[in-house]
Structure formats: structure tokens, C-alpha cells
Amino acid sequence: MIKDFITKNKWLILVFMIFGGVFASISFVNHYNFRTYGWDLGINQNAIFDYAHFRWNDCMIMQPSFENVLADHFSLYPMLVSPFYWIFGSYTMLLFQWVAILFGGLGIFKFVHFISENKKLSTIAVIHFFCIWGIYSALSFDYHDNVVAAMFVPWFLYYYRKQKLSRSILFFILIIVSKENMALWAGFIALGLSLRHILNKEWNHLKLSGVLALAAFLYFIVILKVIIPELSNTDGAYLHHSFNALGSNFGEVIVNIFKHPIRALALLFENHSGDSFFDGIKLETHIALVLAGGWALFFYPEYFVMILPILAQKMFNDLPIRWGISDHYSIEFAPILVIGLYTFLNKLKRRKIQVALVTLLLCAISSFKFMEKRTSEYYKKDNTRFYSSEHWKRNFDVGSVHKVLQTIPDSLRVSAQSPLAPHLAFRDYIYHYPFKGDANCIALLTAEENKYPFTEAQYQDEIKKLLESEEWIIFTQTKDLLILIKK
């Protein structure tokens, strides 16, 4: 029976094996090579550590900004995954994300096969999905809940199309509990489905999509206005409102979008930072969307509605890093782009496979080009280019650093430099250096090129002050690592 399954699906299995290996070589190699960071993997590591010990996470790495990690982003995924910490250790969340991406690819296959009954077209769709730049950018930067949530979208749409009510609602719930802004996105996904029903005069399905949209929006409002303020130590303020070009809060933003639609439309394209250094970032994102197949969404407005909140969330933002195609800020586009594109391709009367191969080639080439060079700021090339030798090595002895870190007692309260934080986060007290709090240990990766938040000169000056201080003594010092403990 297994042999028969493998024979029938050998090409699909091969696709998953190849891309599974590629994705693993990005995420897991980055973590081993100290290219994961306190913000954000370390935050999640400390959260699952606390949850696995049946207690709330006091968000040590984000102190003094937050006293509870759920006041930052209300995500339930770390709670659900936390038991696996006992098995997979510091790779737990990265493994969860890796599995989710492959699972999302299977959801793409299921959806396209359901609408087309064409196995070849469905397999090409999976390859197309796995070639989109957003997946590589997300894998290159730690773990993020929205990456996993995006991978559940194809499954929700698949079961919704099949009219499997309980399963579609299950995946809808999994999307909205991932993060508060994913609930807002889920509401727009449901609105997109409502638009589809209206255009196709499917009045009997309109009620369900409307209820789902309402439920998602209500969840978003309750989390934002009630739950997060209750958990927050910031006087109830939501610290992720970064849309001041349109208003000082979400209410003002929504009102101003309708009052000043021309201004809102302009913000989707213009650099509103006032700094010419960030010119071209938004244009690059729009080009990337088109090359990945986004042009097809204009033929299916329901899918265009689904990407609108993600586009707005990116382009209206105060922070230019979120406008671009780097990090995890584009992952939500991937499933919608592919589903919209292959819905269009399936409607072609002739040469649909040939056209699909051309669009796949265009997507793959553009993704490669974006891995080689991009306009988006702070692009970490070595974190992303799995095919380069630089990705697989560092300028220091990685193995010896891992060995030294294991000598730090779990009982110590550690203030760790960002690349070390995810590897030291499974303890009761862990801070993000330079914040020390009540730390009695400081762990610094002196070989790390990026001395964030310091310049090189400032970093060396800080080390000099610590070494000359009567408060700290050397626990371990190598040419790559410095660990200090309080006297």
C-alpha cells in the first residue's frame, strides 16, 4: 500500500523532499550558526520554557517594555507547541515553522487539485508556492507566528470550497489565534469569500462567510481593546500601532482611509518617511508581487480583497523595514498569490501547463535575483542564500561557542547579546543585552559583526568598562566569546 502511494505520488514527494531540505538548510543552519536573535526567537524560546513549566511568561527578553509576552502579541501558538520543548529544545519553534510551511504547500496542492482535478498543474502550483521570495525571507529571520498562520490559509480555503464546515472553521480558528493582526486578516479573507458569493449569486453561502468575518473582527477588537490592555504594563497602550501617516490610533486610520482615499492610495506607493534613503522599497515590493503572479488577482477581486489588509499594514507603516520583501513581513502574500494565480490558470482553455511553467520560471528567477540583491533595508544576505558557502560558516568557531554556553549554570540570571539569547533563553531569568536588570551573568559574542544596538566603538567601550569594573569578573573569555559573572 505504501509502495503504491509512493509510485503514484513520486514527483510530489520529490518536490517536498527537495524544498524541505532547502528550507531546513536556511532555518536550522542559521540557528546553529548564531544567526537567530533575541528579538524574536529568544522571546518565543523563553515563552515556551515558561509555558512548559505551567506558568505565564513574564517576557524577560522584552523587559522593561512588557511584563507578559501576550501584551506584545496575543499568540496562542507557543502555548500549544510548548510541550515539544522537552524533546526538541531550542529548535522547537523553528521546527514547528518548518513543518507548517511544508503543510501549507500540501494545502496548496489540495486546493488546486480540487478546483482543477489536474495533478500536474497542482504539483507546479506547489513548486511555485515554494519558490516565492516571501518564504525564504521569513525562514531567514527566526520564528514568527504569522508565518504559521499563513500556512493554514490554503487549508481553510480548501475545506471551505469543499463545504467541510467543521474543518474549515477549525483552520479559521487556528489563523485568528496566531496573532491579533492575523484575526483582522482572517476577517478580510472571509469578506473576500463573501464578495465571491455575491458575484456568483451564491446567496446560500453568504451567511457563513459573513459570520466568519464578523467573528474575526470581533475577536480582533476584543484582543486589542480589552485583553492586551489588561495584560499590559504600558497603561493599556498597544505598542504596535505604527501608522501615524494616517492617524494616531486604529480608529483614526480607518476613518482617514475613507475620508482621504487619494492620500491612502498614494501611501501604498510613496516613501512617506521623509528620508530618500528608503526610496524604491515599496516599488520593489510591488514588482515582486507582480512577478510572483499577483497580476492574476485583478481577475479575481475576492483574492485582491484578501491581500488588501496585508498590503495596507505594510505600506502605511511608519517603519520602512516593513514596506519591503525582507524578513517575515511578506509571508501572507504567498498563499493568496498562488491560489489566485492558479485559479486563473485553471480557467485557460489551452496551454495551461505551459503558461503555468512560464509563470513558475518567472517567479523562481525573480526570487533568486531578490536573494542576490534587494532594495529593502537591512537585508541579511548570508542568512538567506542557502546556496552560498558564506551561509554555512561563520568567522569564528561555532562549535566551541556552543560548548562554552553549555557551561553556564541554568541558575544564573543572564543578560545575553542578541545572537546568544535564543540559545540561553531556557531559564527563569534572561535579558537582552545591554539591558541587565538583576542579571548576575553577561554573555557577549564578541566575534559577531553586528553589535546592535551599539556601533563597534561603543561596543568595545562597553566591554572595557565591564572589564575595568569591580562588579564583574571573567567566567570565560575566548577570542570569540566573553562571559562575565558578578562578584
Side-chain angles (χ1 to χ4, degrees), residues 128-176:
H128 193 125
F129 177 68
F130 285 156
C131 284
I132 289 181
W133 86 94
I135 291 178
Y136 299 87
S137 292
L139 285 168
S140 73
F141 179 37
D142 292 15
Y143 161 87
H144 294 93
D145 301 296
N146 61 312
V147 178
V148 178
M151 299 304 118
F152 292 142
V153 170
W155 288 96
F156 164 66
L157 294 174
Y158 167 64
Y159 284 120
Y160 189 92
R161 281 287 189 99
K162 288 193 73 175
Q163 299 182 36
K164 299 285 187 180
L165 182 61
S166 58
R167 294 184 184 183
S168 62
I169 291 176
L170 170 63
F171 282 104
F172 194 76
I173 292 172
L174 286 173
I175 294 167
I176 67 174

Side-chain angles (χ1 to χ4, degrees), residues 70-71 74 218-232 236-238:
L70 296 177
F74 194 83
L218 285 176
Y219 180 88
F220 171 73
I221 292 170
V222 169
I223 294 300
L224 212 64
K225 295 297 184 181
V226 180
I227 304 298
I228 287 180
E230 187 66 26
L231 297 172
S232 174
Y238 180 65

Side-chain angles (χ1 to χ4, degrees), residues 180-334:
E180 67 282 352
N181 62 326
M182 292 294 97
L184 181 64
W185 182 38
F188 274 86
I189 292 173
L191 285 182
L193 293 173
S194 296
L195 178 59
R196 178 176 179 271
H197 296 324
I198 292 170
L199 294 175
N200 295 336
K201 299 181 180 180
E202 299 168 342
W203 310 115
N204 55 322
H205 297 301
L206 193 56
K207 182 179 179 180
L208 175 59
S209 61
V211 169
L212 290 175
L214 181 62
F217 291 140
L218 285 176
Y219 180 88
F220 171 73
I221 292 170
V222 169
I223 294 300
L224 212 64
K225 295 297 184 181
V226 180
I227 304 298
I228 287 180
E230 187 66 26
L231 297 172
S232 174
N233 60 309
T234 57
D235 296 324
Y238 180 65
L239 297 187
H240 293 285
H241 176 84
S242 305
F243 309 98
N244 290 298
L246 282 173
S248 59
N249 56 60
F250 283 110
E252 286 185 13
V253 169
I254 294 171
V255 169
N256 285 327
I257 288 174
F258 287 101
K259 284 180 66 176
H260 309 287
I262 303 300
R263 173 60 179 156
L265 184 63
L267 285 174
L268 295 176
F269 301 93
E270 71 178 33
N271 170 11
H272 60 277
S273 70
D275 187 343
S276 61
F277 176 76
F278 303 113
D279 287 350
I281 295 178
K282 290 185 179 181
L283 176 61
E284 181 179 59
T285 299
H286 291 300
I287 291 172
L289 288 170
V290 171
L291 294 176
W295 53 267
L297 301 191
F298 290 100
F299 295 92
Y300 293 92
E302 66 264 33
Y303 296 123
F304 194 77
V305 168
M306 293 180 191
I307 72 162
L308 271 180
I310 304 303
L311 199 60
Q313 176 182 267
K314 287 173 67 64
M315 302 310 186
F316 295 162
N317 210 284
D318 299 337
L319 304 177
I321 192 172
R322 295 179 182 172
W323 304 346
I325 60 175
S326 293
D327 300 340
H328 57 295
Y329 299 114
S330 295
I331 190 64
E332 299 92 345
F333 290 130

